[in-house]
Amino acid sequence: MVEKRAHIRVYPATGSQVRNTMTDKNIGRVVDISQNGFLLSSRDRIKPGMILQLSVALKELAPKTIAMGAECIWSDHQDSGLTFAGFQIIDISETDESLLATAIQQLTAD
C-alpha cells in the first residue's frame, strides 16, 4: 500500500501522555504523531467533532510539553473500553510547532 500522508508519522516512547488543559485531566496516550495530527488511545469516549485544548507530553521532549488545539476527526470505540481517536492539530504556536518538529526529527533518526 502506498502511503499518501502529507507528513511522516512517528511512534513516541510508551508513556507519552495527552492532557485536556480545560479539565486538567489526563485523557490518554499518543500512539503515533505527525506534524499535523496524532492518534490517541483513551479510556474516555472521544467523539468526532470534539475540539480540545491539549498538552502533549512526549517522553522525547521531557520535561517540556506541547500545547495545542486539536479536533477529533474520527474515533473507534473498542469492546475493551479503549477508544482510538484521530486528531488534527488546528492551533499550535510557532514555538510548540518547532518542539514537535524536533521530536519528530529525533524519532525518525532512531
Side-chain angles (χ1 to χ4, degrees):
M1 188 161 120
V2 176
E3 182 69 46
K4 295 182 180 180
R5 293 179 184 271
H7 300 280
I8 188 168
R9 284 184 292 180
V10 294
Y11 304 89
T14 300
S16 294
Q17 298 293 314
V18 179
R19 179 170 294 280
N20 180 334
T21 59
M22 300 304 287
T23 62
D24 198 33
K25 180 182 175 206
N26 181 8
I27 62 168
R29 68 176 191 86
V30 177
V31 176
D32 67 45
I33 193 163
S34 72
Q35 200 65 40
N36 66 335
F38 63 94
L39 175 59
L40 174 76
S41 170
S42 179
R43 290 279 175 200
D44 292 355
R45 266 217 199 240
I46 308 292
K47 296 179 181 174
M50 291 177 75
I51 296 175
L52 302 173
Q53 285 299 124
L54 304 170
S55 175
V56 178
L58 301 177
K59 292 276 190 167
E60 291 77 11
L61 295 175
K64 296 178 183 177
T65 61
I66 301 169
M68 66 177 68
E71 179 178 4
C72 178
I73 303 301
W74 63 268
S75 67
D76 183 20
H77 186 72
Q78 306 288 306
D79 290 339
S80 66
L82 276 178
T83 296
F84 290 96
F87 278 85
Q88 179 179 6
I89 298 169
I90 58 174
D91 183 38
I92 188 168
S93 71
E94 286 183 23
T95 301
D96 287 323
E97 190 171 31
S98 179
L99 273 175
L100 179 54
T102 297
I104 290 169
Q105 186 177 33
Q106 287 175 2
L107 287 162
T108 55
D110 290 346

